[in-house]
Amino acid sequence: MPTKFAVRTTILAKRFQYSWMFVTNLDFDDDDSTNATDIFSRLALLLTESRHNSDSFIKFVDRVLESCRSPQVNLVRIHVYYKVRESCPSKWIDKAVRLNVRELDLRLSLSHLPLSLRTCKTLTKLVFHRTGRDRQASKCWECPERVSLPCLKTLDIDVCDDPHENAFRVISGCPLLENLSLEVYRVWGEYERQDDYIFNIPTLKRLKLMLGYDLVNHKVVLNVPKLEYFVLCGELFSLFVMEDVSSLAEVTLSIERLDSDHHLWDELFKGLSGVKSLSAQNENSRGCFGFISPLPVFQNMKHLELNRFWNPEFIPLVLESSIHFSCVENQSMKNLIGLNRRNAEVLKTVTITWRNLCFQEETRLAAKLLKVPRASHDCEVSFIGGGSLSNASY
């Protein structure tokens, strides 16, 4: 529960007077608008003086962290959306480290990572995002020296593109890192410099990259032999070089904008030719992505999901490049006509999701599809969404 509610339990009985001091999860959020009864509201005012100004919130966090008596705290979550003095977040982080914190979740304004955070020996998970004010001003936190986080396995951070070395300085100091979420963004035209993003992380299993605001880099290099899950979101303006993704099994692509000549899209797909599951969609419904070179052969593909932006000519190309499909999802059945017979023999399921079609159009398209000869006698065709054909299988 939010820490302010834990503190309020002192009103229930005398034996609860000090119980809140031994909780192992500390949760502070200055944007918590949860309503309380009158008696609890009055107690909150006594304990925090007033949650509607920064001074009272700062005093409350200070008081709780000073009073905490747990030998080890599992989680400290601090989300601050208004401006506080720079010394406050650093002081809170120092106190959390002294409490042997295992997970630290921060959303606040911080210009640099404190020494205590960069060298915490107990930290297993770190989430650090800045407030909207800092993001709009393209202010990036700094990591002035090398990092040593020997137990950290999960890292979730955002960073401005020009001082990206700060993020990689943290990453290089995590020898056990398994899960990485990195958001990189910029204000268009802010920087002229272009840098390669090189992910050389032998322990990494999950990677989520969010790239935005016309971010342009020379290369994004992935040398991650244990990587199993990869998520790419945002705008594709960088060349992806897959040096070692030999364990990669599942990929999710959610692209808003794409380099105009599509060669980056081609290179990305070539690097993903060994995956078993691929889900791709265009967040900008006005765009339409295609290919300028032959597709790679997806030797291990078992699941394919394509949403929202695919040309009719594109779907057969993907299907003909794939051998072991168990599920194919698409918006329009006409994109499936022309499927190579050799590949279709192992097809088990085709799911057609109707979007923004009238009943007559759904009926016409369904009838046309069901007349197409099937190379696989076991293939099941399912229709989902819209009209009376919802959830029908044939």
Side-chain angles (χ1 to χ4, degrees), residues 21-35:
M21 296 182 180
F22 295 91
V23 297
T24 57
N25 290 348
L26 299 177
D27 187 347
F28 306 99
D29 192 333
D30 73 351
D31 195 38
D32 189 352
S33 58
T34 304
N35 294 323

Side-chain angles (χ1 to χ4, degrees), residues 210-230:
M210 292 163 283
L211 308 177
Y213 296 93
D214 289 318
L215 178 67
V216 180
N217 294 304
H218 294 300
K219 294 178 183 177
V220 176
V221 180
L222 298 184
N223 186 2
V224 279
K226 291 188 177 180
L227 188 69
E228 299 175 6
Y229 304 95
F230 177 45

Side-chain angles (χ1 to χ4, degrees), residues 239-258:
L239 174 64
F240 275 76
V241 178
M242 309 298 189
E243 287 191 350
D244 188 349
V245 289
S246 53
S247 298
L248 188 59
E250 184 175 330
V251 175
T252 299
L253 305 176
S254 182
I255 306 300
E256 295 178 3
R257 286 201 297 161
L258 181 70

